[in-house]
Amino acid sequence: MQIEASSLFSLPDGLELTSLTVVGNVLTLHVTATAQSRPCPLCTQEATHVRSYYTRLVADVPCAGRRVQLILHVRKFRCDTVSCPRKIFAERLGPFVEAWARKTTRLRHAIEAIGLSTCGEGGARLADRLAIATSPTTILRRIMALPLPPGDPVTHLGIDDFAFRRGRSYGTVLVDLQRNKVIDLLPDRKAETAKAWMRAHAEIELVSRDRGGDYAAAASQGAPQAAQTADRFHLCKNLTEAVEKALARCRAELRKSQKAKKKPAEDTPPEEPLPALLTSDGRPYSAHQTERYDCYQQVMALREQGAKVKEIAKRVGLGARTVQRWLKDGAYVETNYHHRHRSSFDRYEAYVRRRWDEGVHNIQQLWREIKALGYPHSDRALRAHLEAVRGKKPAELEEAGVLDHFSAKKAVWLFVRPFDDLLKQEQEELLALCQASAQAETIYQLVQEFFRLVRARQGTQLDSWMSKVKTSAIPELQRFATGLERDKAAVVAGLTLIHSNGQVEGQVTRIKLIKRMMFGRAGFALLRQRVLHAL
Ligand SMILES: [Zn+2]
């Protein structure tokens, strides 16, 4: 199999590989220019007279793990056009290698790609691994030298801010909502700057922005021809914040109801759990000890009823000798071994685990269920087993409901997601909260209705929702509704339109990632290059 060496290295027409040598990790290719004539760079006439020969050393993309350098054997031509002031010129090899360049164009592109996916330092290390010799400064210089991509006309513009240095300086991100692409970054979030940008884009038909504020002003002045929409992402975000505040206010009501719940009601006394058993040295009984004690109680009860030893042994599941010994002792004798051993709980353990994971943490409930399946011991024994299995006190787990550890920050996520998206345990928590507080219940209904409206893009239903809020006596939601009222045209448009700034938020997340890769030290200009040229 004969392979044309020049084509193997993808050399352009007019360049021929004449020899190659390998020294260490470097592959050196001798490449000779062979074109009969070259155009004069000034008068563009083809010149045929070779005046002299010289060599250029140029780095190329690596080959099979080796660095590649080209020794280009090139020529100087004499221009024969009488009127041309240029008498002698060096032949040009563009676009393969630009004039004066010390790297091939494809190597430059490779370095740019590495730079755009990494940072200066990391890029240089990666390049070294890939047998490309470069430095962090070269990588950064290459990225800064990239020409801005041509600005395509944008009709649907999404605008939002992003933290450039968190809490200290912010920039603005502009997204083409139809192409889902960042089209520019601005160095601040001032109305003036955004306005100037929009002025230069008369083709904008729609601006999707957060509610009110600087971007609304920028759009009114910079793109007066465009319709404005309050984007759904920010509507939902603002509502979520209002709900969190409202829930934080419900905290007192929730705690009061929890205390009331803990006090047993007089007409329906709850099932009295058996008192905890303690060993003589004050430690709680292990699961085995508890089971054994239960058996002892059963033995005594059966004896009381006049049952014979053999019968007792059979019914309680013990050996006749044990029964006999217990009866003879006359009093319960503690065992003190704590090792895990086979127990009648083993058969039910998988079931209890599954139910526990499904969110059933009520021990009485679990006990009734496994009792129905044949578990012979008391709820106290089950409790002891759960302690052994889970390494925690189930009593604590059982009572540590959402009400005790109520956090508005966490609870808000139960309120804003669709009920069907919640885990079973989350659904139970949500129901508990709504049962405990009438306000929470009202908040829940209003929030869910708003999100249904957003999902179904029913901007027209907004009025009826707002009037419900006004009569709701939830001040946080009322304030939210008042804000909507002020920006109502844009809100209704935002609720009805197909686009959402959700994608702008996605882009902001990408910018964050790019920023992180740059160790947060990058200047705005570099960040802009990185984002606009992102691979
Ligand atoms: Zn010429």
Side-chain angles (χ1 to χ4, degrees):
M1 180 175 64
Q2 178 126 31
I3 297 173
E4 174 65 52
S6 298
S7 74
L8 185 66
F9 288 99
S10 306
L11 297 175
D13 287 344
L15 290 181
E16 220 163 71
L17 179 66
T18 43
S19 70
L20 54 83
T21 55
V22 176
V23 178
N25 190 37
V26 180
L27 172 62
T28 303
L29 309 181
H30 285 266
V31 173
T32 306
T34 56
Q36 293 293 315
S37 68
R38 287 291 187 184
C40 166
L42 205 64
C43 68
T44 70
Q45 289 298 311
E46 289 289 324
T48 52
H49 280 110
V50 174
R51 167 78 191 280
S52 59
Y53 297 87
Y54 71 106
T55 55
R56 278 175 73 183
L57 190 64
V58 172
D60 196 7
V61 287
C63 174
R66 287 199 173 93
R67 277 166 58 185
V68 172
Q69 65 176 13
L70 308 180
I71 296 177
L72 298 172
H73 296 265
V74 288
R75 301 152 295 176
K76 286 184 176 168
F77 283 84
R78 193 181 75 211
C79 180
D80 289 330
T81 308
V82 181
S83 59
C84 183
R86 177 69 62 88
K87 296 300 167 211
I88 309 289
F89 67 90
E91 63 178 316
R92 303 285 160 100
L93 302 174
F96 180 66
V97 193
E98 297 298 339
W100 311 111
R102 292 166 64 193
K103 293 184 177 79
T104 59
T105 304
R106 60 193 182 193
L107 176 60
R108 209 185 68 217
H109 288 162
I111 291 172
E112 287 162 2
I114 289 170
L116 288 172
S117 346
T118 59
C119 58
E121 295 286 340
R125 283 195 298 272
L126 173 61
D128 188 53
R129 274 292 181 88
L130 299 174
I132 294 174
T134 187
S135 69
T137 35
T138 304
I139 290 176
L140 292 180
R141 205 178 55 236
R142 291 292 351 148
I143 291 172
M144 291 308 291
L146 289 171
L148 280 182
D152 289 321
V154 51
T155 52
H156 292 193
L157 177 72
I159 185 168
D160 198 4
D161 60 7
F162 70 93
F164 181 43
R165 247 163 283 154
R166 204 209 306 234
R168 287 202 291 156
S169 62
Y170 291 84
T172 296
V173 54
L174 298 152
V175 174
D176 182 331
L177 293 177
Q178 284 176 315
R179 279 182 280 253
N180 190 15
K181 195 168 178 291
V182 175
I183 41 178
D184 213 343
L185 297 186
L186 306 179
D188 56 44
R189 55 176 176 184
K190 291 183 191 137
E192 276 306 305
T193 316
K195 185 176 99 184
W197 193 93
M198 289 186 212
R199 277 246 165 94
H201 291 79
E203 72 276 15
I204 298 173
E205 292 166 13
L206 181 146
V207 178
S208 176
R209 40 96 181 144
D210 57 359
R211 287 202 296 121
D214 288 344
Y215 293 140
S220 311
Q221 294 164 28
Q225 76 284 0
Q228 291 187 36
T229 70
D231 75 80
R232 290 194 292 278
F233 175 85
H234 281 98
L235 285 178
C236 296
K237 185 164 171 269
N238 293 347
L239 176 59
T240 302
E241 285 158 6
V243 169
E244 190 185 320
K245 282 184 198 142
L247 287 174
R249 194 174 42 77
C250 291
R251 194 189 165 84
E253 191 183 352
L254 290 167
R255 294 204 72 96
K256 217 190 326 178
S257 103
Q258 173 67 353
K259 272 192 200 131
K261 211 179 97 189
K262 274 182 180 165
K263 249 185 273 166
E266 277 170 34
D267 48 343
T268 52
E271 257 177 278
E272 194 68 46
L274 299 169
L277 295 166
L278 296 176
T279 61
S280 50
D281 51 354
R283 281 176 310 166
Y285 269 20
S286 71
H288 166 68
Q289 286 172 317
T290 311
E291 266 184 17
R292 187 171 173 274
Y293 180 76
D294 280 345
C295 289
Y296 179 82
Q297 296 295 333
Q298 285 174 48
V299 168
M300 291 306 162
L302 287 167
R303 185 61 173 186
E304 200 91 318
Q305 292 161 27
K308 296 207 167 73
V309 172
K310 246 188 175 167
E311 198 192 335
I312 296 172
K314 202 176 151 202
R315 283 177 63 178
V316 181
L318 291 166
R321 280 193 172 180
T322 309
V323 174
Q324 229 155 20
R325 200 178 66 237
W326 282 358
L327 292 174
K328 201 177 110 216
D329 286 344
Y332 182 64
V333 181
E334 264 177 27
T335 62
N336 54 7
Y337 50 88
H338 286 267
H339 66 263
R340 176 163 166 74
H341 75 104
R342 281 177 55 83
S343 118
S344 52
F345 177 66
D346 292 349
R347 283 174 55 202
Y348 306 95
E349 188 180 332
Y351 177 86
V352 169
R353 261 178 202 276
R354 181 164 60 77
R355 295 289 288 149
W356 186 277
D357 292 340
E358 284 168 2
V360 181
H361 295 173
N362 183 312
I363 289 167
Q364 289 292 319
Q365 170 70 28
L366 288 170
W367 176 64
R368 279 193 293 272
E369 289 180 19
I370 60 172
K371 201 171 158 63
L373 295 172
Y375 179 68
H377 301 294
S378 64
D379 59 337
R380 193 171 45 201
L382 171 63
R383 188 177 294 264
H385 275 296
L386 286 173
E387 279 172 19
V389 168
R390 301 190 64 90
K392 292 179 196 162
K393 280 209 175 305
E396 284 166 22
L397 287 169
E398 186 185 357
E399 281 150 26
V402 65
L403 295 176
D404 267 357
H405 295 281
F406 177 75
S407 135
K409 221 179 184 63
K410 279 188 200 153
V412 69
W413 296 109
L414 304 175
F415 280 66
V416 298
R417 284 147 66 204
F419 190 75
D420 290 340
D421 287 1
L422 301 179
L423 300 174
K424 198 168 187 306
Q425 192 188 334
E426 291 176 321
Q427 291 180 345
E428 281 166 12
E429 286 175 9
L430 174 67
L431 292 174
L433 287 172
C434 288
Q435 261 168 28
S437 157
Q439 292 216 49
E441 168 74 29
T442 307
I443 294 167
Y444 182 71
Q445 296 303 337
L446 288 170
V447 170
Q448 288 295 314
E449 189 178 334
F450 186 83
F451 280 103
R452 274 196 297 276
L453 203 136
V454 170
R455 277 193 293 275
R457 308 224 172 86
Q458 292 172 324
T460 50
Q461 309 277 307
L462 190 66
D463 277 330
S464 101
W465 185 80
M466 289 205 289
S467 59
K468 277 184 208 163
V469 170
K470 273 175 202 152
T471 57
S472 72
I474 312 284
E476 295 81 2
L477 295 187
Q478 286 169 343
R479 272 195 291 279
F480 173 75
T482 309
L484 294 188
E485 191 88 61
R486 275 201 293 272
D487 196 19
K488 196 168 153 198
V491 170
V492 172
L495 287 180
T496 317
L497 269 160
I498 295 167
H499 297 302
S500 150
N501 261 24
Q503 45 170 304
V504 178
E505 298 312 312
Q507 300 290 1
V508 170
T509 309
R510 272 187 55 226
I511 292 172
K512 273 188 206 152
L513 288 175
I514 290 176
K515 234 172 36 180
R516 203 169 301 154
M517 286 197 308
M518 295 159 79
F519 304 113
R521 287 188 285 108
F524 170 77
L526 178 58
L527 178 65
R528 181 167 179 244
Q529 287 291 74
R530 291 282 308 262
V531 170
L532 297 184
H533 291 277
L535 300 178

